[in-house]
């Protein structure tokens, strides 16, 4: 299945093809938001994390102030995809091919902006923590000392 087929894009609206999540766009084109989500998934790929968390991670770019630079960055990403013989970034079916395009632009300010924002945008979501086995901070639960940090029996 082509990567672009995983999204339903309408005027100001973006949803997963299976209806599991949807979001409205404010300043960005829906196609731009869909491309950002795919880009986010390609930068930090976690098969067990659903797209809705990636949408939340990039939703902060959907502002009037951020949209010109994001639209320009996505335009450059699509131009790079066309240079490799594809219609646009979303139409590239193989993750390996998309990652090759991202690697070619990884030193660009746009890529670094998105990558850096994803570190906090994706991994600071409390709903994602259990998917990675992280229980959260320990202070409110009595700290680590009395919660089994030393129960390793193989030392």
């Amino acid at each position: 299945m082509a990567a672009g087929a995983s999204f339903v894009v309408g005027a100001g609206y973006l949803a997963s093809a299976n209806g599991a999540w949807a979001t409205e766009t404010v300043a960005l084109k829906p196609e731009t938001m869909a491309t950002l989500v795919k880009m986010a998934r390609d930068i930090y790929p976690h098969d067990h994390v659903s797209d809705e968390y990636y949408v939340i991670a990039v939703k902060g770019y959907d502002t009037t102030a951020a949209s010109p630079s994001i639209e320009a960055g996505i335009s450059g990403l699509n131009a790079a995809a066309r240079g490799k013989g594809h219609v646009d970034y979303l139409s590239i079916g193989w993750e390996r091919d998309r990652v090759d395009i991202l690697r070619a632009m990884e030193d660009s300010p746009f890529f670094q902006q998105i990558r850096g924002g994803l570190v906090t945008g994706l991994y600071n979501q409390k709903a994602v923590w259990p998917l990675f086995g992280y229980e959260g901070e320990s202070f409110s639960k009595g700290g680590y000392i009395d919660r089994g940090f030393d129960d390793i029996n193989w030392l």
Side-chain angles (χ1 to χ4, degrees), residues 7-35:
F7 299 110
V8 176
V9 179
Y13 179 78
L14 175 69
S16 66
N18 66 5
W21 59 266
T23 190
E24 290 186 35
T25 57
V26 176
L28 294 174
K29 293 184 251 177
E31 300 82 18
T32 300
M33 181 61 79
T35 303

Side-chain angles (χ1 to χ4, degrees), residues 37-114:
V37 172
K38 183 58 73 178
M39 181 182 179
R41 184 169 277 290
D42 289 338
I43 293 173
Y44 291 110
H46 301 289
D47 292 339
H48 63 284
V49 176
S50 70
D51 282 344
E52 70 181 295
Y53 299 112
Y54 288 94
V55 170
I56 293 167
V58 298
K59 188 68 173 157
Y61 297 116
D62 188 20
T63 65
T64 305
S67 67
S69 66
I70 298 300
E71 292 286 354
I74 294 298
S75 177
L77 185 63
N78 286 333
R82 283 190 296 277
K84 299 280 186 176
H86 303 282
V87 174
D88 58 17
Y89 187 79
L90 274 178
S91 71
I92 302 172
W94 293 98
E95 179 181 0
R96 178 184 57 230
D97 295 337
R98 292 189 310 268
V99 169
D100 286 344
I101 290 171
L102 291 175
R103 284 203 173 131
M105 65 181 306
E106 69 185 343
D107 292 329
S108 72
F110 170 69
F111 179 88
Q112 291 301 319
Q113 175 187 13
I114 302 301

